[in-house]
Amino acid sequence: MNREANRPAARSAAPTFSPLYRQIKDFLIASLEQGEWGPGDAIPSEGELAQRFNVSQGTVRKAIDEMAAENLLVRRQGKGTFVSTHSDPRSFYRFLRLLPDDGVAVQSVSNPFLCETVPASPEVAGVLGLQPADPVIHVKRLLSFSGQTVVFDQIYLLAELFSGLTLEALRAGERSLYSLFESDFGVRMINAEEHLRAVAADAESAGHLGVAVGAPLLLVERTAYTYGNKPVEWRRGLYCTEKHYYRNDLG
Amino acid sequence: MNREANRPAARSAAPTFSPLYRQIKDFLIASLEQGEWGPGDAIPSEGELAQRFNVSQGTVRKAIDEMAAENLLVRRQGKGTFVSTHSDPRSFYRFLRLLPDDGVAVQSVSNPFLCETVPASPEVAGVLGLQPADPVIHVKRLLSFSGQTVVFDQIYLLAELFSGLTLEALRAGERSLYSLFESDFGVRMINAEEHLRAVAADAESAGHLGVAVGAPLLLVERTAYTYGNKPVEWRRGLYCTEKHYYRNDLG
DNA sequence: AAGTGGTCTAGACCACCGT
DNA sequence: CGGTGGTCTAGACCACTTG
């Protein structure tokens, strides 16, 4: 790494000081972004990276530590360091926070029933950084836990990144949506922000979820980001919380 | 630290191996728990701790790094390492996730109107690890943002830890509840878990929040923990989400 | 200038995993 | 066994804060 090119910069005025391990981290993130190593792959060992960058192993270690803390990489002692993937439950975080009142988490079943390209509404365009009427892919689906429909999702995706997505592809396989996005479109969701509200069920939601019109539903609006905090998905989920709750750990 | 006493243990059967830095971390946490250093105080420097434990500075550093990541300590370059406190906004995390739709976060105003000791209901006893009918302190309060009442909280506290808490004390000062608990009762909330649901407003909540009976409200049930994952508070909050939302960052 | 945390090094040894 | 990550050391120097 360019020791000499960097250190003097710290003494000069504007350019923010960037320690070696951060330069290495940035390089590794850029490599991930470019697909240098795919999801689930092992990255080079600490020793090899240290040689490649001409730094000590401890410096590489600090870079990888931070990326592991951000769920970009997963360390496994004795085996290596691996790129996180949504396909592997033990590796990537799950975004669905809904749990049944009694008993433990059960596998959810996704049932998509619409997938079409439409012009973005002003709201969706604003969130995804598009011009109004730019194309987005609109997906509607239901989520069930133990045979009971609990979530009605409306999902909006950047058409540019997910062109070719079909209802058949969504229906195929047992994979999660994000797992499919990752393997079939090379788009990895690495971060998301949710806004929660209580709302009254409208006719469509009530029908899907089997509740009365006007019944209280949990509205979950999610913006999901890929590398560089680029928003690529916005979804509006209506959760029936009669027998399930949304769990959040603070701290 | 007891190098020799520890290492052989790793080779024997049962006792789980514990690295040096973890022993130091555990020692520091125990010290915090016993009030060795109060909220906002500086703990000894890395060098001094290294000498005291007869380890290298790097080992102390790793222990402190983990505690800083858990929001137990706050590092400030050039100054020292300090015990987190709810009194200092820049130091401890805030638990309130409610934000106004438009504009940035505004200071909330707490308006408590009831504080009495009552026997724990079975539900509260279960969560707080008490026997039913053990005493708990029941607090009711309203929270306002910019003059508008948005939250109706019912709070249950271990009577044992908060004996002497009065409505007057709650009303005094501008401090947050957790700041008051920390300074007046020596109880520090370090972790919490929330369960969210959408519910229909009952008569009491509707009256407090100025909405119709049956209107959708966000129900937030929180269990808060102090050191050792000991639950010390349970609260049931009803949030009016007409002009505010609950924000959650995933990842 | 002195004291603190922040970065970096070079090397040792341990724990874990596969072959 | 060899290779990986995990722990630990001793020491150097940098960056930030305060007096």
Side-chain angles (χ1 to χ4, degrees):
Chain A
M1 223 74 193
N2 60 337
R3 262 178 193 65
E4 317 311 337
N6 173 48
R7 306 303 178 83
R11 289 179 211 121
S12 76
T16 51
F17 169 71
S18 173
L20 266 183
Y21 74 85
R22 178 154 274 295
Q23 296 178 42
I24 292 168
K25 180 182 172 184
D26 290 344
F27 180 91
L28 292 175
I29 289 178
S31 299
L32 286 179
E33 196 168 350
Q34 295 170 221
E36 174 100 14
W37 310 292
D41 289 355
I43 71 170
S45 73
E46 296 179 354
E48 188 182 331
L49 289 171
Q51 281 192 326
R52 187 179 303 183
F53 294 129
N54 264 292
V55 300
S56 81
Q57 182 172 340
T59 300
V60 170
R61 209 171 158 65
K62 177 138 186 171
I64 293 179
D65 276 346
E66 286 198 359
M67 294 176 69
E70 294 167 15
N71 291 305
L72 295 175
L73 298 175
V74 176
R75 322 189 72 138
R76 291 189 220 153
Q77 181 170 147
K79 298 182 70 176
T81 302
F82 300 82
V83 180
S84 301
T85 168
H86 286 284
S87 315
D88 184 354
R90 70 179 158 172
S91 127
F92 222 106
Y93 44 94
R94 294 173 303 292
F95 287 94
L96 186 58
R97 301 299 191 95
L98 206 61
L99 292 175
D101 283 351
D102 304 320
V104 240
V106 187
Q107 185 70 7
S108 64
V109 176
S110 174
N111 183 11
F113 59 92
L114 179 144
C115 176
E116 60 181 12
T117 301
V118 298
S121 69
E123 181 182 22
V124 170
V127 174
L128 295 182
L130 300 174
Q131 297 301 316
D134 275 355
V136 294
I137 299 176
H138 181 198
V139 173
K140 292 190 186 186
R141 68 136 177 208
L142 302 176
L143 264 188
S144 303
F145 287 66
S146 342
Q148 191 160 19
T149 301
V150 184
V151 176
F152 167 42
D153 268 328
Q154 294 193 257
I155 304 173
Y156 300 88
L157 301 161
L158 289 191
E160 181 190 13
L161 290 177
F162 296 94
S163 76
L165 181 64
T166 63
L167 196 54
E168 294 71 50
L170 289 170
R171 286 179 174 283
E174 293 297 307
R175 300 177 294 181
S176 74
L177 272 190
Y178 287 173
S179 175
L180 181 145
F181 293 166
E182 174 183 289
S183 56
D184 290 14
F185 298 90
V187 180
R188 299 184 54 217
M189 307 297 192
I190 62 176
N191 205 352
E193 177 183 332
E194 293 190 330
H195 292 188
L196 283 72
R197 290 186 151 81
V199 299
D202 61 13
E204 183 182 11
S205 309
H208 289 313
L209 299 172
V211 299
V213 171
L217 294 178
L218 183 62
L219 167 63
V220 180
E221 295 176 320
R222 176 195 297 175
T223 310
Y225 303 86
T226 188
Y227 293 104
N229 279 321
K230 177 189 170 83
V232 293
E233 179 204 60
W234 186 77
R235 59 168 80 180
R236 190 168 195 278
L238 287 160
Y239 294 20
C240 175
T241 54
E242 282 175 5
K243 291 174 178 155
H244 300 76
Y245 63 93
Y246 180 104
R247 174 182 163 142
N248 192 24
D249 275 306
L250 306 181
Chain B
M1 221 76 192
N2 60 337
R3 265 177 191 64
E4 318 311 338
N6 173 49
R7 306 305 179 81
R11 289 180 213 122
S12 77
T16 52
F17 170 71
S18 172
L20 265 183
Y21 75 85
R22 177 152 271 296
Q23 296 178 42
I24 291 168
K25 180 182 171 184
D26 290 344
F27 180 92
L28 291 175
I29 289 178
S31 298
L32 285 179
E33 195 168 349
Q34 296 170 220
E36 174 101 14
W37 311 292
D41 289 355
I43 70 170
S45 73
E46 296 180 354
E48 188 182 331
L49 289 171
Q51 281 193 327
R52 187 180 303 182
F53 294 129
N54 263 292
V55 300
S56 81
Q57 181 172 340
T59 300
V60 169
R61 209 171 158 65
K62 177 138 186 173
I64 293 179
D65 276 346
E66 286 199 359
M67 294 175 68
E70 295 168 15
N71 290 305
L72 296 175
L73 299 175
V74 175
R75 322 188 72 137
R76 291 191 218 150
Q77 181 171 147
K79 299 181 70 175
T81 302
F82 300 81
V83 180
S84 301
T85 168
H86 286 284
S87 315
D88 184 354
R90 70 179 157 171
S91 125
F92 222 108
Y93 44 94
R94 295 173 303 292
F95 287 93
L96 186 58
R97 301 297 192 96
L98 206 61
L99 292 174
D101 283 352
D102 304 321
V104 240
V106 187
Q107 185 69 7
S108 63
V109 177
S110 174
N111 183 11
F113 60 92
L114 179 144
C115 176
E116 59 181 14
T117 302
V118 298
S121 70
E123 181 182 23
V124 170
V127 174
L128 295 181
L130 300 174
Q131 297 302 318
D134 275 355
V136 293
I137 299 176
H138 182 198
V139 173
K140 291 190 186 186
R141 69 141 178 203
L142 302 176
L143 265 188
S144 304
F145 287 64
S146 339
Q148 192 160 19
T149 301
V150 185
V151 176
F152 168 42
D153 268 329
Q154 293 193 256
I155 304 172
Y156 299 87
L157 301 161
L158 290 191
E160 180 189 14
L161 290 178
F162 295 94
S163 74
L165 181 64
T166 63
L167 195 54
E168 295 72 48
L170 289 169
R171 285 179 174 283
E174 293 298 306
R175 300 178 293 182
S176 74
L177 272 189
Y178 287 174
S179 175
L180 181 146
F181 293 166
E182 174 183 289
S183 56
D184 290 13
F185 298 90
V187 179
R188 299 184 52 217
M189 306 297 192
I190 62 176
N191 205 351
E193 178 183 332
E194 293 190 329
H195 293 188
L196 282 72
R197 290 186 151 80
V199 298
D202 61 14
E204 182 181 13
S205 309
H208 288 314
L209 299 172
V211 299
V213 171
L217 294 178
L218 182 62
L219 168 62
V220 181
E221 295 176 320
R222 176 195 297 174
T223 309
Y225 303 84
T226 187
Y227 294 104
N229 279 320
K230 177 189 171 82
V232 293
E233 179 204 59
W234 186 77
R235 59 167 80 182
R236 190 168 195 278
L238 287 160
Y239 295 20
C240 174
T241 54
E242 281 175 5
K243 291 174 177 155
H244 299 76
Y245 64 92
Y246 180 104
R247 174 181 163 141
N248 191 24
D249 274 305
L250 306 181

